[in-house]
Amino acid sequence: MWRDVRAVVFDTDGVITDSARVHAAAWKAAFDACLRDHVPADSRLRRPFDIRDDYLRYVDGKSRLDGAASFLDSRGLTLPPGHPDDRPGTGTVAAVAAYKERIFMERLREGGIEAYPGTVRLLEALRERGVPLAAASASRHAPELLARAGVLPLFDALVDGAEAARLHLPGKPDPALFLEATRRLGVPAGQAAVVEDALAGVEAGGRGGFRLVVGVDRTAGPDTGAALLRHGADIVVRDLSELLTEDVKE
Ligand SMILES: [Mg+2]
C-alpha cells in the first residue's frame, strides 16, 4: 500500500491529536445555547447538537464560520452573518463561532491534548523510511495543538488555518489545503497520501487526486466507516497503528 506513496499529509484534529472531542464539546455548548435563544419554528428541528452525528456532518474539518453556518442552516435558523469581531453570543453566525472558540480555549487550557499513540508510531516509522510528512488543518490552533502534544518536530511542513486565510485557500472539501501541503513537500498529489477523519476531508483527498486517501474512524459507530468510504476514502482504519505494515517498517 505504501509502495507508491512518497509523502503523507495528516489532518490534525482527530487524526494526530485527540482534540476533536474538545472541539465537539465546545460546539455543543455554543449551538445548544443558540437553539435555546432561537427555537426552530419546525418542531422536528428542535433537537440539541449531537456531538457525533452533527459534528461529523456539519462542522468537522470546516472553518469555524462555515461550520457554524452549516449547522444553523440544518436547524432552519438563518442568523445574520455578523462581523469577525463579534463577541461570543447567539445573535449572529460570527458570535456563535466566537462562543465556540471561547469555550474551546478554556477547555484546551484546562485539559491536556495528546497525540494518538498509533499515529505517533506511524509517523516515526514513515520518518525512518525518509517519507516527508505534513500536518494540515483548517484550524488556527493546529501549531499549538501539535506543540502541546509534543509531535510538532515530526513534520516537515504545516499548513494551518492562519496560512489558509493568508493564502485565501478555500476550505474542505476543496483540496487546496492538502495541495498546498504537498507543494511544500515537493511531491505531486498523485504520489502522496492524505489521512483524514472528516467526511469533508476524505472528499478533499479524492478531489485532489491523491494516490491514497485513508479515512480514520474513531467513533466505533456503525455508520461512520461506510460514510468515509462513500465520501472518497480508499480504506478506513480505527487507528493508524493498523497501517504499520511490514513495508513501512522495513
Ligand atoms: Mg479532523
Side-chain angles (χ1 to χ4, degrees), residues 57-70:
R57 195 167 304 162
Y58 302 114
V59 298
D60 190 15
K62 296 184 185 169
S63 76
R64 207 151 54 230
L65 285 174
D66 285 352
S70 176

Side-chain angles (χ1 to χ4, degrees), residues 82-247:
H83 188 269
D85 295 336
D86 282 358
R87 300 180 63 76
T90 60
T92 67
V93 174
V96 174
Y99 194 149
K100 180 264 173 178
E101 171 69 358
R102 188 184 70 196
I103 292 173
F104 178 76
M105 291 308 293
E106 284 170 8
R107 299 199 177 165
L108 194 62
R109 292 192 191 106
E110 283 165 11
I113 293 291
E114 290 180 8
Y116 290 101
T119 302
V120 175
R121 285 169 59 204
L122 180 65
L123 289 167
E124 287 172 342
L126 288 167
R127 275 193 79 80
E128 274 174 33
R129 199 165 159 251
V131 177
L133 306 174
S137 173
S139 167
R140 291 166 190 267
H141 299 301
E144 185 184 351
L145 291 173
L146 294 170
R148 279 177 183 257
V151 293
L152 193 54
L154 294 173
F155 295 96
D156 303 287
L158 166 62
V159 185
D160 72 343
E163 284 291 273
R166 187 176 67 80
L167 299 169
H168 305 291
L169 303 179
K172 303 168 197 171
D174 190 285
L177 194 71
F178 295 148
L179 294 175
E180 175 63 18
T182 49
R183 192 188 65 75
R184 293 184 186 191
L185 296 177
V187 175
Q191 297 175 11
V194 162
V195 187
E196 253 291 354
D197 67 329
L199 299 181
V202 292
E203 193 175 328
R207 285 198 203 176
F210 280 81
R211 175 81 182 83
L212 175 70
V213 180
V214 178
V216 184
D217 173 15
R218 307 263 184 211
T219 67
D223 306 323
T224 311
L228 286 165
L229 290 169
R230 263 202 318 279
H231 279 78
D234 297 306
I235 54 165
V236 172
V237 296
R238 292 278 170 94
D239 187 88
L240 291 179
S241 60
E242 292 169 41
L243 299 179
L244 282 163
T245 51
E246 286 309 312
D247 55 334

